[in-house]
Amino acid sequence: MILYSNEEGFIKPRGIKNNDGIHDPNIKLPHIGVGVFSEHLLKDIVKKFKCVKAGELMQKRPIYILEYKNIKITLFMAGISGPWISQDIEELNINGVDTLIIFGNCGVLDKSIADCSIIIPNRAYRDDGTSYHYLPDSEYVELDNKYTDLFKDILKEYKFEYTEGATWTIDAFYRETREKIELYRKKGVVCVEMEGASIGAVCKYKKLNYFTFYYAGDNLDSVEWEERSINQLSNFDKKTKVPILALELAYKIENNNL
């Protein structure tokens, strides 16, 4: 059992690290942050757009200030798992990030969901640990839908297929058992990942705007596990088209003062 406490944490976030590896709360970042879990996609984004390295997160994961059209965006290498992404959000917020768009790969619980197609989660079932330190006990976190319609318009514009439904957040990759898969499928869950509930809980606790989405990877709706494109470089040409969706959403949020 995890004990929830509404007190502030004993250890306070100190902001991101500067390029010398020192925590620096005085670095001012653009208020919209885009986080990507794939290092290969991050490198591809940096190669395609004007980016200036602004600092680092834990484990020397880079943070850039990216110019897209007429706005600047905080681009960062997101930490895989609830503990890492929660720390990222806490530290980035110290440096001015108050709106987050975070995207990455997920497993699907419905084999009809096409590889690399987009999934919009509307709630995250809490099979993690981190979310319980930010919100009281509950079966799931209702995810912020403030930007959902705007994002659907972008998907239509860029001709992306998408599925909308619940996600299952688990922090033990090798404990995605058949029993649990069937349980969550019956609850309307369409995908599984490791950060969704944590992102939702941290952002609710800190009153931050956020939007998270996924691109489909491995398939758990089968007799044996199907890897499909869970490897970061599998179907990479198609994956390189996904980041523009996040950048466009950031652009529309900024220009519409949402």
Side-chain angles (χ1 to χ4, degrees), residues 144-156:
D144 194 347
N145 64 3
K146 181 177 181 180
Y147 304 124
T148 299
D149 288 342
L150 190 60
F151 187 67
K152 287 179 180 178
D153 289 341
I154 295 168
L155 292 174
K156 183 177 180 181

Side-chain angles (χ1 to χ4, degrees), residues 121-125 143 165-169 189-193 196-197 214:
N122 50 31
R123 66 174 49 161
Y125 280 87
L143 298 176
T167 185
W168 160 31
T169 302
V189 170
V190 298
C191 67
V192 58
E193 37 65 42
Y214 311 112

Side-chain angles (χ1 to χ4, degrees), residues 141-199:
V141 179
E142 288 285 2
L143 298 176
D144 194 347
N145 64 3
K146 181 177 181 180
Y147 304 124
T148 299
D149 288 342
L150 190 60
F151 187 67
K152 287 179 180 178
D153 289 341
I154 295 168
L155 292 174
K156 183 177 180 181
E157 179 183 351
Y158 283 86
K159 297 178 172 57
F160 264 85
E161 296 179 34
Y162 73 88
T163 302
E164 190 171 7
T167 185
W168 160 31
T169 302
I170 184 171
D171 52 14
F173 183 76
Y174 294 112
R175 297 304 298 152
E176 296 174 8
T177 64
R178 190 174 301 279
E179 178 185 19
K180 285 195 170 190
I181 291 167
E182 290 305 314
L183 170 69
Y184 286 111
R185 275 170 54 90
K186 289 176 182 176
K187 293 178 181 289
V189 170
V190 298
C191 67
V192 58
E193 37 65 42
M194 299 182 72
E195 300 85 16
S198 302
I199 293 168

Side-chain angles (χ1 to χ4, degrees), residues 39-52:
E39 61 181 317
H40 297 288
L41 276 184
L42 182 81
K43 290 176 181 177
D44 188 68
I45 297 167
V46 171
K47 182 172 65 176
K48 290 177 177 175
F49 297 93
K50 183 178 179 181
C51 295
V52 176

